[in-house]
Amino acid sequence: MEMAEKKAYRAHAKYVLISPSKIRRVANEVRRKPYSEVMAILDHLPHKGAKLLKKVVHSAASNALYQDKNLDEDMLYVNELYIDEGPRMKRIWRRGRGRADILQKRMSHITAVVGEKTGRGE
C-alpha cells in the first residue's frame, strides 16, 4: 500500500444521547461519499442525528486540513462512519397501580474517518 492510502484522519463524539439505530439511518446515507457532498446532504436532513454527524465529520475534516496543509476540502471523502452503542441511562417510568417500568435512554459513540482521494476508484 502507498503512503497516501494510509492517511486517515478521525474524530470521535462519545456519550451522545441518541439511539444508535437513529443515527445509523442517517450514517448509511453519507458513508463513502465526498466530503462536500456529505456536508450538503447533512445540512438538508431534518434528523437530530444529521446535526450530530455533521459536527463529527466536520471535526475529522478539520483535523485533516490542520495536519496536512497540502489538502483542501475537495480532496477529502468520508471513508468510514462507525456508530457504536454506548451505555444506557436507566430511569424509572411510573405506571398504574403502583407498578414501575424501566425507561432506557440509549447513548451512542460516533467515529468519523476522513481520507484523501487517491483515484477514481474510491
Side-chain angles (χ1 to χ4, degrees), residues 2-122:
E2 298 175 11
M3 289 298 284
E5 289 184 48
K6 287 186 178 181
K7 288 265 185 182
Y9 306 93
R10 58 184 65 231
H12 306 282
K14 292 187 167 193
Y15 306 104
V16 179
L17 193 55
I18 188 171
S19 170
S21 59
K22 290 181 183 178
I23 295 188
R24 284 188 189 119
R25 192 173 58 175
V26 178
N28 291 337
E29 296 295 322
V30 298
R31 197 175 277 128
R32 306 287 294 167
K33 290 189 178 172
Y35 170 72
S36 55
E37 186 179 334
V38 167
M39 295 308 275
I41 291 171
L42 293 177
D43 268 339
H44 293 90
L45 286 177
H47 309 292
K48 176 184 175 182
K51 181 180 175 186
L52 297 170
L53 270 178
K54 183 180 175 195
K55 287 172 104 175
V56 179
V57 171
H58 179 72
S59 179
S62 296
N63 291 340
L65 297 174
Y66 180 77
Q67 291 177 19
D68 190 352
K69 302 294 184 191
N70 297 327
L71 289 177
D72 66 337
E73 290 183 359
D74 298 330
M75 300 168 69
L76 298 176
Y77 77 105
V78 177
N79 191 5
E80 299 164 5
L81 273 176
Y82 298 116
I83 312 298
D84 298 321
E85 190 169 336
R88 298 176 182 185
M89 288 195 302
K90 294 178 180 162
R91 299 291 182 258
I92 299 296
W93 191 15
R94 288 168 177 68
R95 307 302 291 184
R97 300 185 179 191
R99 296 191 198 118
D101 283 340
I102 295 178
L103 178 65
Q104 295 187 9
K105 297 189 174 199
R106 290 173 166 82
M107 290 190 219
S108 303
H109 300 316
I110 305 169
T111 304
V113 181
V114 174
E116 182 182 354
K117 289 183 191 174
T118 55
R120 192 65 202 150
E122 294 182 316

